[in-house]
Each structure stands twice: as C-alpha cells, then as structure tokens.
Amino acid sequence: MIPRERCTYSAIVDRPPLKLPNQARIVVWTIVNLEFWSISRAMARQVLPAPTGEVLVPDVPNWSWHEYGMRVGVWRFFDLFARLGIRPTLSINARVCREYRRVARAAREAGWEFMGHAWEQMPIHKVDDQAQMITRSLDTLERFAGTRPVGWLGPGLTETYETPDLLAAAGIKYIGDWVYDDEPTEIRTTHGPLITLPYSVELNDIPMMLVQHHESGYFTQRCIDSFERLYREGAERAKIMAIAIHPYISGQPHRIKYLEGVYEHINRYDGVLHWNGVEILDWYLSAKAAP
Amino acid sequence: MLPSERLDFSAINQRPKLALPDGARLAVWVIVNVEEWDPTQPMPRAVLTPPAGGAPMPDIPNWAWHEYGNRVGFWRMLEVFDRSRIRAVLAINGSAIQRYKPIAHAALERGWEFIGHGFSQRSMQKVADERDDIRRTAAAIRDFTGRPPRGWLGPGLTETWETPDLLVEEGFEYVCDWVLDDQPVWLKTRTKSIVNLPYTQECNDVAMMLIQHHNASEYYDRAIDQFEQLYHDAAQSARVMALVVHPYIMGAPHRLKYLSNTLARIRDHRDVLFWTGEEILDWYLAQRSAW
C-alpha cells in the first residue's frame, strides 16, 4: 500500500484532545539505538569519508568509530539513565544480542524495553526476504529478553510498501517509522490497524550531528526549545517528545554532557512522564477508548 | 526568452522614488509554503539520509517529516500569525488544496492571499505540460477561494524558458521566482510584461535549516539583520522584504519561537507595513502609473 492509503490526513486541531494521567503535560520517550555494522559492507554512516570519496571495504576508520560506541560510549548511557531512573526503549538490531552480548545483557538487566530494529543495520529495501528477517529478529529478541517485542523501528526508519503489513502479521503493535505527528496515530495494514508512535528525526543525533553537522552543544538547546514549546501545548492536549540517540554519537566524551543537560532541564518541570514505547502504547489504547 | 532579455540592468539608487503610504519605509510580506509530496516519487528534501546511501522508495522517514508540517506544524504557526494579526500569503500546490482542506479553509477564513505554487511539488522543468499545470493550479485556487490567483511561485523557484510568458497568458499578474532585487521589477514576456515581487532565498527556512544547517535561532538573527539593513536602505525609497516559512521547518516545536520573535520584533515598528503580495503589487502599479 502506498502511505496515503494507510492513513487519512488529519489536522491535529480537529482531533479530540488526549489526556495523560494526573494532569501530566508531556511524555518524554528516550530511545537508544544499538546496531551491528557488518565490516564486509559499506558503513551505514561515516565520520571520515575516504580522501578519494571512494567506498572502502573494509572501512576501518568508520567501523572503528561505531565500535567505540559499543566498547565505551554505551556505558555512559547506562550510567546516566541509571542515575536518572529512566528505562529507555532499546531499538536493537537483533544481531547485537549475539555480537555484543555484554551490551544487550546490560540493557536487559536494567529493565530497558527491547524494540525490534531489524537484524542488522542496512536499509530494509535491500533485505532479500523481509518477512523472514522480521521473524528471525523478533524470535531472537524474545529468546534473549524473555518477552516478545511489540514495537519496531526500521533501520534508518526505512520501510518498503509492504513493511507495515508484514510487521502487523508478525504481531508488532507499534512502529516508530512514521514521524509525522506529536500524537500516536493508527495506520491501516492488511492485518488490521497498526499504531504509530512519535519517534523523532529532529531530536535525533544522526540528523543533527552527522547530516546537519551541528556543534555538540546545540543538542541541548534544540531539545530544550522543543520541550518548552511542547510543554506549553501540553496544557491543552497530551504531547509526546522523543529523544533518539546512538552510543557512537552522543556517547562521545564531548557530547555526553549535552545529553545530560537535556534531562537536567526537563526534570525541573512538573507533569513530565518518562515512558517507554509499551507504556505509551498502553496509555494510548486506553485513552482513545475513554469516553 | 533568455533571462537577460526579460529585463535590463538597473541600479537601485538610480530609479524613481517609491513611496509607501503613511510614511512607511518597508513593506514586509510573509509567504507560507504548503506542499504535497508524492510518496511514489523521490522526496524533494530529506532530514534523514538512508544508512549506507541509496534512494529507497518509499522514503517513509522523509515523507513523514514533511507530512508533520501539515498535520501539526502549520497549526502552531497559524497561532503565531493570528496573534501578530498578520495575513500571510499561502503559496500552495494546486493538488494540496483538496489534500489538506483544513489548511486551505484556515487560510481562506483569515483572508490570506493564495498564490499558485505548481500543481504538485516538482520542478517546472519536469512537468509534462507546463501550461496545463499552471492552468490547473489557477483553477484549483479559483474553485476553492472564488478568485483566481494573481501571483505565482514556482516549486523550488523553478522555471522553463517560457514560464513568464505562460503565466501572463494564463492570467497571472505577478511572479516571485526572480529573487534579484529589493524592489518590484518588470519582466518582458512575449505579450504583456509581468511584475516580479522580491521573494527571498536568504530569509528562507529551506536555505537556512536544510541546506546551511543553521541553528534555529539563525532565523531570527538573520531576519533582524536583514530588516535593519533594509530599513536603513529605505530612507529615500521604499523597500520590500520577504520572510519565507514552511510548516515542516519553522513549525517544528524547536523552531517556532524564532519565527514568533521575528514577527513580534518587526511588528514593533510603526513605519513598517505587513502586506500581502497583491497589496504590494497594487501599490507598485499605482506608483508606476504616477510617474
């Protein structure tokens, strides 16, 4: 189905306001992405393009840069979120459970929500058998984490025309790929409705640092600007603000303090809920059913 | 016709004086661009490039990012215009009027001026039949608002060698694609001449945020720097200043306040007029006929 067939346009001002419990204004949804980058292929992202501009295999500098995130950067995240008492959603390539078992275990022990994020990091359009990859990914995460994930985020948020249908058929209840609203929405699939949750491409360290090349300090500023606006709007209707991070980017020594600064600012306010994807999904299902 | 055949060189300080009513120095116009991005075509802009490159179809993340502007971003921008009591110019793809009817209604209710902006969001050089595209756009606007559009802005400011000729023949009275002056200018066509109004590439959120990757605050800083200089330049002869916004860019929660602050700061000046394009056109035509 083409996207337009899955959802009808709707202006947010025309929808009945959703309300959060206890008059909360805003849900902050933190998503940590853990990926497996195969050294035998072109790297998903680059910090240092080759001097000639050629694609290298093996691409040692860019593979190493990502690897730093698993060896060093991610521990700064575990530390930070343990201190804050926040359990993020873990968007994890299933292959990470095998190749970086130690990291996946730390997330499991800390009670983070495991969300499907394909088998390994490449655009989903390039996967030969998408249905099989989805099943294999979810089976792997279920075996590792003990519960089957209900959420999914495509690598680079990629989808083919069929992806939502395949995900719904595989038992997924929510996706993060449709970053087109401040609220959850429903889209049609061949296997019934699928919920979309507002992930972020704005408060996301890939577009910010790797595409737009902002200075590290701007991360805090942009998150605060976004938070303050959404918090204000949250007086009228529930707002959800996602923060999407990667250990090899925001886990760098020169960036972690700017991530810390975001939570420091947010936590001065009342009415802020730090929820994961499952909690947002459960709230949405009951909130929209409420009279 | 070659661009250089459509208008002669002229130095701004050697032209007859332009005088705005009531001693005003500057006419400021704000253009809001509303587009429909076809999910079966490559996306005109991207916030999140796919991991390891390529051009996936569909491009869900970038389609959704733009869609956010029409679902959510436009509505918070509207609040800013309402509060500032500014009637904006809506540059809208012909097909977007039906697709995003609530937006078109909101603009109509407020007396915003509708100008043509291609039937769909693609280069005028890639359109199969340019005259038909222009005509269908004019018809879509006329059918919805009751009046045909007087102005035109090409998608991405694109034109063919013939565009101004066709616009005149199809009843348009002004065009915005020729961003080469701080005052209106006349362009020759194969029939009557057409006025070009000063649109902007500089105080434009696409250029600033998506191409130059500036912090959101740059919108304000640059607009005020621009304003102060044009205000100074206008001591002897009026100037026209444009501000351009797109709901998916300045309507993002982390950017809105910089637009809001820009309009508030400029509005503080008594000798500045916030006009629509046709108001600027009618004033200019009256000035010219007075010489």
Side-chain angles (χ1 to χ4, degrees), chain B residues 35-47 57 59 62-67 93 117 120-123 155-156 206 210-211 246 248:
Chain B
E35 299 156 4
E36 182 186 4
W37 291 11
D38 180 351
T40 66
Q41 298 290 323
M43 297 291 96
R45 307 271 175 206
V47 66
M57 180 77 65
D59 184 350
N62 295 300
W63 177 83
W65 167 64
H66 169 265
E67 193 73 359
N93 292 162
H117 189 45
S120 59
Q121 189 63 14
R122 82 184 61 177
S123 166
V206 166
L210 306 194
I211 296 170
H246 297 68
Y248 68 104

PDB file of all heavy atoms in Angstrom, chain B residues 35-47 57 59 62-67 93 117 120-123 155-156 206 210-211 246 248:
ATOM      1  N   GLU B  35       2.862  22.255   0.661  1.00  0.00           N
ATOM      2  CA  GLU B  35       3.131  21.367  -0.471  1.00  0.00           C
ATOM      3  C   GLU B  35       2.559  19.983  -0.243  1.00  0.00           C
ATOM      4  O   GLU B  35       2.287  19.590   0.898  1.00  0.00           O
ATOM      5  CB  GLU B  35       4.657  21.253  -0.657  1.00  0.00           C
ATOM      6  CG  GLU B  35       5.316  22.584  -0.959  1.00  0.00           C
ATOM      7  CD  GLU B  35       6.793  22.641  -0.579  1.00  0.00           C
ATOM      8  OE1 GLU B  35       7.353  21.616  -0.143  1.00  0.00           O
ATOM      9  OE2 GLU B  35       7.375  23.738  -0.735  1.00  0.00           O
ATOM     10  N   GLU B  36       2.410  19.261  -1.338  1.00  0.00           N
ATOM     11  CA  GLU B  36       2.066  17.846  -1.247  1.00  0.00           C
ATOM     12  C   GLU B  36       3.217  17.059  -1.848  1.00  0.00           C
ATOM     13  O   GLU B  36       3.553  17.255  -3.020  1.00  0.00           O
ATOM     14  CB  GLU B  36       0.773  17.527  -1.995  1.00  0.00           C
ATOM     15  CG  GLU B  36       0.424  16.050  -1.830  1.00  0.00           C
ATOM     16  CD  GLU B  36      -0.763  15.587  -2.631  1.00  0.00           C
ATOM     17  OE1 GLU B  36      -1.323  16.390  -3.406  1.00  0.00           O
ATOM     18  OE2 GLU B  36      -1.116  14.397  -2.475  1.00  0.00           O
ATOM     19  N   TRP B  37       3.847  16.204  -1.049  1.00  0.00           N
ATOM     20  CA  TRP B  37       4.954  15.386  -1.540  1.00  0.00           C
ATOM     21  C   TRP B  37       4.424  13.991  -1.866  1.00  0.00           C
ATOM     22  O   TRP B  37       3.950  13.277  -0.988  1.00  0.00           O
ATOM     23  CB  TRP B  37       6.062  15.284  -0.485  1.00  0.00           C
ATOM     24  CG  TRP B  37       6.807  16.553  -0.240  1.00  0.00           C
ATOM     25  CD1 TRP B  37       6.492  17.816  -0.672  1.00  0.00           C
ATOM     26  CD2 TRP B  37       8.005  16.691   0.524  1.00  0.00           C
ATOM     27  NE1 TRP B  37       7.419  18.720  -0.235  1.00  0.00           N
ATOM     28  CE2 TRP B  37       8.368  18.067   0.504  1.00  0.00           C
ATOM     29  CE3 TRP B  37       8.831  15.800   1.214  1.00  0.00           C
ATOM     30  CZ2 TRP B  37       9.501  18.558   1.148  1.00  0.00           C
ATOM     31  CZ3 TRP B  37       9.970  16.286   1.861  1.00  0.00           C
ATOM     32  CH2 TRP B  37      10.296  17.650   1.817  1.00  0.00           C
ATOM     33  N   ASP B  38       4.519  13.617  -3.119  1.00  0.00           N
ATOM     34  CA  ASP B  38       4.005  12.324  -3.593  1.00  0.00           C
ATOM     35  C   ASP B  38       4.915  11.195  -3.108  1.00  0.00           C
ATOM     36  O   ASP B  38       6.091  11.137  -3.495  1.00  0.00           O
ATOM     37  CB  ASP B  38       3.968  12.381  -5.129  1.00  0.00           C
ATOM     38  CG  ASP B  38       3.463  11.104  -5.775  1.00  0.00           C
ATOM     39  OD1 ASP B  38       3.293  10.089  -5.063  1.00  0.00           O
ATOM     40  OD2 ASP B  38       3.262  11.129  -6.999  1.00  0.00           O
ATOM     41  N   PRO B  39       4.390  10.281  -2.274  1.00  0.00           N
ATOM     42  CA  PRO B  39       5.260   9.231  -1.725  1.00  0.00           C
ATOM     43  C   PRO B  39       5.755   8.217  -2.754  1.00  0.00           C
ATOM     44  O   PRO B  39       6.602   7.387  -2.437  1.00  0.00           O
ATOM     45  CB  PRO B  39       4.385   8.556  -0.661  1.00  0.00           C
ATOM     46  CG  PRO B  39       2.990   8.931  -0.990  1.00  0.00           C
ATOM     47  CD  PRO B  39       3.015  10.200  -1.772  1.00  0.00           C
ATOM     48  N   THR B  40       5.244   8.285  -4.000  1.00  0.00           N
ATOM     49  CA  THR B  40       5.752   7.384  -5.030  1.00  0.00           C
ATOM     50  C   THR B  40       6.848   8.042  -5.871  1.00  0.00           C
ATOM     51  O   THR B  40       7.295   7.485  -6.869  1.00  0.00           O
ATOM     52  CB  THR B  40       4.621   6.894  -5.965  1.00  0.00           C
ATOM     53  OG1 THR B  40       4.123   8.022  -6.705  1.00  0.00           O
ATOM     54  CG2 THR B  40       3.489   6.263  -5.185  1.00  0.00           C
ATOM     55  N   GLN B  41       7.237   9.240  -5.477  1.00  0.00           N
ATOM     56  CA  GLN B  41       8.329   9.954  -6.150  1.00  0.00           C
ATOM     57  C   GLN B  41       9.443  10.193  -5.137  1.00  0.00           C
ATOM     58  O   GLN B  41       9.182  10.171  -3.939  1.00  0.00           O
ATOM     59  CB  GLN B  41       7.835  11.325  -6.647  1.00  0.00           C
ATOM     60  CG  GLN B  41       6.713  11.265  -7.667  1.00  0.00           C
ATOM     61  CD  GLN B  41       7.189  10.742  -8.986  1.00  0.00           C
ATOM     62  OE1 GLN B  41       8.311  11.029  -9.417  1.00  0.00           O
ATOM     63  NE2 GLN B  41       6.374   9.944  -9.635  1.00  0.00           N
ATOM     64  N   PRO B  42      10.669  10.462  -5.603  1.00  0.00           N
ATOM     65  CA  PRO B  42      11.731  10.825  -4.648  1.00  0.00           C
ATOM     66  C   PRO B  42      11.323  12.074  -3.854  1.00  0.00           C
ATOM     67  O   PRO B  42      10.659  12.963  -4.395  1.00  0.00           O
ATOM     68  CB  PRO B  42      12.940  11.133  -5.535  1.00  0.00           C
ATOM     69  CG  PRO B  42      12.649  10.513  -6.854  1.00  0.00           C
ATOM     70  CD  PRO B  42      11.156  10.455  -6.998  1.00  0.00           C
ATOM     71  N   MET B  43      11.710  12.122  -2.595  1.00  0.00           N
ATOM     72  CA  MET B  43      11.346  13.251  -1.753  1.00  0.00           C
ATOM     73  C   MET B  43      12.168  14.484  -2.139  1.00  0.00           C
ATOM     74  O   MET B  43      13.369  14.387  -2.369  1.00  0.00           O
ATOM     75  CB  MET B  43      11.595  12.913  -0.278  1.00  0.00           C
ATOM     76  CG  MET B  43      10.738  11.764   0.249  1.00  0.00           C
ATOM     77  SD  MET B  43       8.969  12.193   0.374  1.00  0.00           S
ATOM     78  CE  MET B  43       8.325  11.556  -1.153  1.00  0.00           C
ATOM     79  N   PRO B  44      11.510  15.651  -2.217  1.00  0.00           N
ATOM     80  CA  PRO B  44      12.240  16.865  -2.612  1.00  0.00           C
ATOM     81  C   PRO B  44      13.384  17.214  -1.660  1.00  0.00           C
ATOM     82  O   PRO B  44      14.390  17.754  -2.088  1.00  0.00           O
ATOM     83  CB  PRO B  44      11.152  17.949  -2.581  1.00  0.00           C
ATOM     84  CG  PRO B  44       9.867  17.217  -2.776  1.00  0.00           C
ATOM     85  CD  PRO B  44      10.056  15.892  -2.113  1.00  0.00           C
ATOM     86  N   ARG B  45      13.196  16.928  -0.358  1.00  0.00           N
ATOM     87  CA  ARG B  45      14.239  17.235   0.640  1.00  0.00           C
ATOM     88  C   ARG B  45      14.288  16.057   1.608  1.00  0.00           C
ATOM     89  O   ARG B  45      13.331  15.291   1.705  1.00  0.00           O
ATOM     90  CB  ARG B  45      13.885  18.502   1.444  1.00  0.00           C
ATOM     91  CG  ARG B  45      13.556  19.725   0.615  1.00  0.00           C
ATOM     92  CD  ARG B  45      14.759  20.577   0.279  1.00  0.00           C
ATOM     93  NE  ARG B  45      14.398  21.676  -0.627  1.00  0.00           N
ATOM     94  CZ  ARG B  45      15.256  22.246  -1.462  1.00  0.00           C
ATOM     95  NH1 ARG B  45      16.520  21.863  -1.500  1.00  0.00           N
ATOM     96  NH2 ARG B  45      14.859  23.233  -2.256  1.00  0.00           N
ATOM     97  N   ALA B  46      15.370  15.971   2.351  1.00  0.00           N
ATOM     98  CA  ALA B  46      15.499  14.874   3.309  1.00  0.00           C
ATOM     99  C   ALA B  46      16.122  15.375   4.600  1.00  0.00           C
ATOM    100  O   ALA B  46      17.015  16.219   4.591  1.00  0.00           O
ATOM    101  CB  ALA B  46      16.360  13.763   2.724  1.00  0.00           C
ATOM    102  N   VAL B  47      15.627  14.838   5.713  1.00  0.00           N
ATOM    103  CA  VAL B  47      16.249  15.142   7.009  1.00  0.00           C
ATOM    104  C   VAL B  47      17.126  13.967   7.445  1.00  0.00           C
ATOM    105  O   VAL B  47      18.104  14.150   8.158  1.00  0.00           O
ATOM    106  CB  VAL B  47      15.170  15.436   8.082  1.00  0.00           C
ATOM    107  CG1 VAL B  47      14.336  14.186   8.374  1.00  0.00           C
ATOM    108  CG2 VAL B  47      15.785  15.961   9.358  1.00  0.00           C
ATOM    109  N   MET B  57      12.546   3.657  -2.019  1.00  0.00           N
ATOM    110  CA  MET B  57      11.187   4.040  -2.378  1.00  0.00           C
ATOM    111  C   MET B  57      10.253   2.991  -1.781  1.00  0.00           C
ATOM    112  O   MET B  57      10.372   1.819  -2.113  1.00  0.00           O
ATOM    113  CB  MET B  57      11.062   4.030  -3.911  1.00  0.00           C
ATOM    114  CG  MET B  57       9.703   4.403  -4.405  1.00  0.00           C
ATOM    115  SD  MET B  57       9.424   6.173  -4.311  1.00  0.00           S
ATOM    116  CE  MET B  57      10.627   6.742  -5.492  1.00  0.00           C
ATOM    117  N   ASP B  59      10.105   6.424   0.718  1.00  0.00           N
ATOM    118  CA  ASP B  59      11.036   7.034   1.657  1.00  0.00           C
ATOM    119  C   ASP B  59      10.211   7.512   2.849  1.00  0.00           C
ATOM    120  O   ASP B  59       9.874   8.685   2.971  1.00  0.00           O
ATOM    121  CB  ASP B  59      11.760   8.186   0.972  1.00  0.00           C
ATOM    122  CG  ASP B  59      12.817   8.825   1.855  1.00  0.00           C
ATOM    123  OD1 ASP B  59      12.864   8.500   3.072  1.00  0.00           O
ATOM    124  OD2 ASP B  59      13.578   9.661   1.348  1.00  0.00           O
ATOM    125  N   ASN B  62      11.359  10.541   5.424  1.00  0.00           N
ATOM    126  CA  ASN B  62      11.367  11.904   4.883  1.00  0.00           C
ATOM    127  C   ASN B  62       9.985  12.346   4.421  1.00  0.00           C
ATOM    128  O   ASN B  62       9.652  13.540   4.499  1.00  0.00           O
ATOM    129  CB  ASN B  62      12.437  12.029   3.797  1.00  0.00           C
ATOM    130  CG  ASN B  62      13.820  11.833   4.407  1.00  0.00           C
ATOM    131  OD1 ASN B  62      14.215  12.583   5.297  1.00  0.00           O
ATOM    132  ND2 ASN B  62      14.531  10.796   3.998  1.00  0.00           N
ATOM    133  N   TRP B  63       9.165  11.388   3.975  1.00  0.00           N
ATOM    134  CA  TRP B  63       7.776  11.707   3.656  1.00  0.00           C
ATOM    135  C   TRP B  63       7.027  12.117   4.923  1.00  0.00           C
ATOM    136  O   TRP B  63       6.303  13.109   4.950  1.00  0.00           O
ATOM    137  CB  TRP B  63       7.097  10.507   2.990  1.00  0.00           C
ATOM    138  CG  TRP B  63       5.652  10.753   2.698  1.00  0.00           C
ATOM    139  CD1 TRP B  63       5.106  11.393   1.623  1.00  0.00           C
ATOM    140  CD2 TRP B  63       4.535  10.370   3.521  1.00  0.00           C
ATOM    141  NE1 TRP B  63       3.742  11.450   1.721  1.00  0.00           N
ATOM    142  CE2 TRP B  63       3.355  10.827   2.867  1.00  0.00           C
ATOM    143  CE3 TRP B  63       4.413   9.688   4.742  1.00  0.00           C
ATOM    144  CZ2 TRP B  63       2.085  10.619   3.399  1.00  0.00           C
ATOM    145  CZ3 TRP B  63       3.144   9.487   5.268  1.00  0.00           C
ATOM    146  CH2 TRP B  63       1.999   9.948   4.589  1.00  0.00           C
ATOM    147  N   ALA B  64       7.254  11.341   5.998  1.00  0.00           N
ATOM    148  CA  ALA B  64       6.574  11.616   7.266  1.00  0.00           C
ATOM    149  C   ALA B  64       7.020  12.960   7.851  1.00  0.00           C
ATOM    150  O   ALA B  64       6.201  13.728   8.373  1.00  0.00           O
ATOM    151  CB  ALA B  64       6.853  10.494   8.269  1.00  0.00           C
ATOM    152  N   TRP B  65       8.301  13.255   7.743  1.00  0.00           N
ATOM    153  CA  TRP B  65       8.850  14.510   8.268  1.00  0.00           C
ATOM    154  C   TRP B  65       8.148  15.711   7.633  1.00  0.00           C
ATOM    155  O   TRP B  65       7.775  16.675   8.326  1.00  0.00           O
ATOM    156  CB  TRP B  65      10.347  14.503   7.963  1.00  0.00           C
ATOM    157  CG  TRP B  65      11.109  15.763   8.109  1.00  0.00           C
ATOM    158  CD1 TRP B  65      11.346  16.486   9.248  1.00  0.00           C
ATOM    159  CD2 TRP B  65      11.834  16.426   7.069  1.00  0.00           C
ATOM    160  NE1 TRP B  65      12.168  17.557   8.965  1.00  0.00           N
ATOM    161  CE2 TRP B  65      12.487  17.532   7.640  1.00  0.00           C
ATOM    162  CE3 TRP B  65      12.019  16.181   5.699  1.00  0.00           C
ATOM    163  CZ2 TRP B  65      13.298  18.394   6.901  1.00  0.00           C
ATOM    164  CZ3 TRP B  65      12.821  17.032   4.961  1.00  0.00           C
ATOM    165  CH2 TRP B  65      13.444  18.132   5.560  1.00  0.00           C
ATOM    166  N   HIS B  66       7.908  15.646   6.354  1.00  0.00           N
ATOM    167  CA  HIS B  66       7.200  16.733   5.678  1.00  0.00           C
ATOM    168  C   HIS B  66       5.709  16.737   6.052  1.00  0.00           C
ATOM    169  O   HIS B  66       5.109  17.787   6.278  1.00  0.00           O
ATOM    170  CB  HIS B  66       7.335  16.620   4.159  1.00  0.00           C
ATOM    171  CG  HIS B  66       6.422  17.549   3.432  1.00  0.00           C
ATOM    172  ND1 HIS B  66       5.172  17.162   2.970  1.00  0.00           N
ATOM    173  CD2 HIS B  66       6.506  18.862   3.163  1.00  0.00           C
ATOM    174  CE1 HIS B  66       4.562  18.208   2.425  1.00  0.00           C
ATOM    175  NE2 HIS B  66       5.349  19.250   2.529  1.00  0.00           N
ATOM    176  N   GLU B  67       5.130  15.559   6.146  1.00  0.00           N
ATOM    177  CA  GLU B  67       3.707  15.436   6.484  1.00  0.00           C
ATOM    178  C   GLU B  67       3.408  16.043   7.864  1.00  0.00           C
ATOM    179  O   GLU B  67       2.342  16.618   8.081  1.00  0.00           O
ATOM    180  CB  GLU B  67       3.318  13.952   6.429  1.00  0.00           C
ATOM    181  CG  GLU B  67       1.833  13.668   6.459  1.00  0.00           C
ATOM    182  CD  GLU B  67       1.109  14.028   5.147  1.00  0.00           C
ATOM    183  OE1 GLU B  67       1.755  14.525   4.202  1.00  0.00           O
ATOM    184  OE2 GLU B  67      -0.115  13.826   5.098  1.00  0.00           O
ATOM    185  N   ASN B  93       0.618  24.212  -3.514  1.00  0.00           N
ATOM    186  CA  ASN B  93       0.495  23.322  -4.673  1.00  0.00           C
ATOM    187  C   ASN B  93      -1.000  23.170  -4.971  1.00  0.00           C
ATOM    188  O   ASN B  93      -1.799  22.994  -4.060  1.00  0.00           O
ATOM    189  CB  ASN B  93       1.027  21.921  -4.373  1.00  0.00           C
ATOM    190  CG  ASN B  93       2.530  21.823  -4.158  1.00  0.00           C
ATOM    191  OD1 ASN B  93       3.004  20.834  -3.585  1.00  0.00           O
ATOM    192  ND2 ASN B  93       3.298  22.803  -4.617  1.00  0.00           N
ATOM    193  N   HIS B 117       1.571  27.610  -6.821  1.00  0.00           N
ATOM    194  CA  HIS B 117       2.894  27.069  -6.470  1.00  0.00           C
ATOM    195  C   HIS B 117       3.048  25.699  -7.128  1.00  0.00           C
ATOM    196  O   HIS B 117       3.375  24.715  -6.487  1.00  0.00           O
ATOM    197  CB  HIS B 117       3.002  26.972  -4.946  1.00  0.00           C
ATOM    198  CG  HIS B 117       4.370  26.631  -4.431  1.00  0.00           C
ATOM    199  ND1 HIS B 117       5.523  27.207  -4.884  1.00  0.00           N
ATOM    200  CD2 HIS B 117       4.752  25.760  -3.456  1.00  0.00           C
ATOM    201  CE1 HIS B 117       6.553  26.709  -4.234  1.00  0.00           C
ATOM    202  NE2 HIS B 117       6.137  25.832  -3.357  1.00  0.00           N
ATOM    203  N   SER B 120       1.817  20.213  -8.460  1.00  0.00           N
ATOM    204  CA  SER B 120       2.426  19.323  -7.465  1.00  0.00           C
ATOM    205  C   SER B 120       3.856  19.802  -7.221  1.00  0.00           C
ATOM    206  O   SER B 120       4.362  20.639  -7.980  1.00  0.00           O
ATOM    207  CB  SER B 120       2.419  17.878  -7.944  1.00  0.00           C
ATOM    208  OG  SER B 120       3.123  17.781  -9.166  1.00  0.00           O
ATOM    209  N   GLN B 121       4.495  19.250  -6.175  1.00  0.00           N
ATOM    210  CA  GLN B 121       5.815  19.753  -5.803  1.00  0.00           C
ATOM    211  C   GLN B 121       6.896  19.093  -6.649  1.00  0.00           C
ATOM    212  O   GLN B 121       7.480  18.088  -6.273  1.00  0.00           O
ATOM    213  CB  GLN B 121       6.076  19.517  -4.304  1.00  0.00           C
ATOM    214  CG  GLN B 121       7.329  20.203  -3.772  1.00  0.00           C
ATOM    215  CD  GLN B 121       7.283  21.718  -3.852  1.00  0.00           C
ATOM    216  OE1 GLN B 121       6.217  22.307  -4.077  1.00  0.00           O
ATOM    217  NE2 GLN B 121       8.414  22.370  -3.668  1.00  0.00           N
ATOM    218  N   ARG B 122       7.113  19.647  -7.826  1.00  0.00           N
ATOM    219  CA  ARG B 122       8.210  19.176  -8.662  1.00  0.00           C
ATOM    220  C   ARG B 122       8.671  20.326  -9.540  1.00  0.00           C
ATOM    221  O   ARG B 122       7.935  21.288  -9.748  1.00  0.00           O
ATOM    222  CB  ARG B 122       7.811  17.980  -9.509  1.00  0.00           C
ATOM    223  CG  ARG B 122       7.070  18.305 -10.780  1.00  0.00           C
ATOM    224  CD  ARG B 122       6.638  17.085 -11.498  1.00  0.00           C
ATOM    225  NE  ARG B 122       5.733  16.322 -10.647  1.00  0.00           N
ATOM    226  CZ  ARG B 122       5.125  15.192 -11.032  1.00  0.00           C
ATOM    227  NH1 ARG B 122       5.365  14.696 -12.218  1.00  0.00           N
ATOM    228  NH2 ARG B 122       4.318  14.574 -10.230  1.00  0.00           N
ATOM    229  N   SER B 123       9.867  20.192 -10.073  1.00  0.00           N
ATOM    230  CA  SER B 123      10.435  21.242 -10.919  1.00  0.00           C
ATOM    231  C   SER B 123       9.533  21.492 -12.124  1.00  0.00           C
ATOM    232  O   SER B 123       9.050  20.550 -12.758  1.00  0.00           O
ATOM    233  CB  SER B 123      11.826  20.811 -11.385  1.00  0.00           C
ATOM    234  OG  SER B 123      12.257  21.636 -12.435  1.00  0.00           O
ATOM    235  N   PRO B 155       7.647  25.858  -7.855  1.00  0.00           N
ATOM    236  CA  PRO B 155       8.211  24.956  -6.846  1.00  0.00           C
ATOM    237  C   PRO B 155       9.732  25.023  -6.919  1.00  0.00           C
ATOM    238  O   PRO B 155      10.306  24.884  -8.005  1.00  0.00           O
ATOM    239  CB  PRO B 155       7.699  23.575  -7.265  1.00  0.00           C
ATOM    240  CG  PRO B 155       6.533  23.839  -8.153  1.00  0.00           C
ATOM    241  CD  PRO B 155       6.796  25.162  -8.817  1.00  0.00           C
ATOM    242  N   GLY B 156      10.371  25.274  -5.782  1.00  0.00           N
ATOM    243  CA  GLY B 156      11.827  25.487  -5.801  1.00  0.00           C
ATOM    244  C   GLY B 156      12.229  26.648  -6.693  1.00  0.00           C
ATOM    245  O   GLY B 156      13.360  26.729  -7.160  1.00  0.00           O
ATOM    246  N   VAL B 206      14.180  26.942   4.209  1.00  0.00           N
ATOM    247  CA  VAL B 206      14.787  25.813   3.490  1.00  0.00           C
ATOM    248  C   VAL B 206      16.295  26.031   3.381  1.00  0.00           C
ATOM    249  O   VAL B 206      17.090  25.163   3.738  1.00  0.00           O
ATOM    250  CB  VAL B 206      14.174  25.620   2.080  1.00  0.00           C
ATOM    251  CG1 VAL B 206      15.032  24.681   1.246  1.00  0.00           C
ATOM    252  CG2 VAL B 206      12.765  25.059   2.190  1.00  0.00           C
ATOM    253  N   LEU B 210      17.820  23.579   6.127  1.00  0.00           N
ATOM    254  CA  LEU B 210      18.007  22.302   5.443  1.00  0.00           C
ATOM    255  C   LEU B 210      19.290  22.251   4.617  1.00  0.00           C
ATOM    256  O   LEU B 210      19.839  21.189   4.396  1.00  0.00           O
ATOM    257  CB  LEU B 210      16.822  22.015   4.509  1.00  0.00           C
ATOM    258  CG  LEU B 210      15.416  22.070   5.124  1.00  0.00           C
ATOM    259  CD1 LEU B 210      14.414  21.430   4.175  1.00  0.00           C
ATOM    260  CD2 LEU B 210      15.369  21.400   6.489  1.00  0.00           C
ATOM    261  N   ILE B 211      19.722  23.400   4.108  1.00  0.00           N
ATOM    262  CA  ILE B 211      20.920  23.402   3.262  1.00  0.00           C
ATOM    263  C   ILE B 211      22.124  23.863   4.062  1.00  0.00           C
ATOM    264  O   ILE B 211      23.181  23.245   4.040  1.00  0.00           O
ATOM    265  CB  ILE B 211      20.676  24.285   2.019  1.00  0.00           C
ATOM    266  CG1 ILE B 211      19.553  23.660   1.179  1.00  0.00           C
ATOM    267  CG2 ILE B 211      21.948  24.429   1.190  1.00  0.00           C
ATOM    268  CD1 ILE B 211      19.051  24.543   0.067  1.00  0.00           C
ATOM    269  N   HIS B 246       8.123  27.282   5.946  1.00  0.00           N
ATOM    270  CA  HIS B 246       7.471  26.027   5.588  1.00  0.00           C
ATOM    271  C   HIS B 246       7.037  25.372   6.889  1.00  0.00           C
ATOM    272  O   HIS B 246       7.842  25.284   7.825  1.00  0.00           O
ATOM    273  CB  HIS B 246       8.444  25.096   4.850  1.00  0.00           C
ATOM    274  CG  HIS B 246       8.930  25.651   3.538  1.00  0.00           C
ATOM    275  ND1 HIS B 246       9.762  26.753   3.468  1.00  0.00           N
ATOM    276  CD2 HIS B 246       8.686  25.274   2.262  1.00  0.00           C
ATOM    277  CE1 HIS B 246      10.019  27.017   2.192  1.00  0.00           C
ATOM    278  NE2 HIS B 246       9.377  26.150   1.429  1.00  0.00           N
ATOM    279  N   TYR B 248       6.812  22.410   7.901  1.00  0.00           N
ATOM    280  CA  TYR B 248       7.591  21.279   8.428  1.00  0.00           C
ATOM    281  C   TYR B 248       8.951  21.723   8.949  1.00  0.00           C
ATOM    282  O   TYR B 248       9.660  20.944   9.565  1.00  0.00           O
ATOM    283  CB  TYR B 248       7.730  20.155   7.385  1.00  0.00           C
ATOM    284  CG  TYR B 248       8.578  20.474   6.167  1.00  0.00           C
ATOM    285  CD1 TYR B 248       9.859  19.964   6.043  1.00  0.00           C
ATOM    286  CD2 TYR B 248       8.077  21.251   5.127  1.00  0.00           C
ATOM    287  CE1 TYR B 248      10.644  20.233   4.915  1.00  0.00           C
ATOM    288  CE2 TYR B 248       8.850  21.541   4.011  1.00  0.00           C
ATOM    289  CZ  TYR B 248      10.129  21.032   3.906  1.00  0.00           C
ATOM    290  OH  TYR B 248      10.892  21.308   2.799  1.00  0.00           O
TER     291      TYR B 248
END
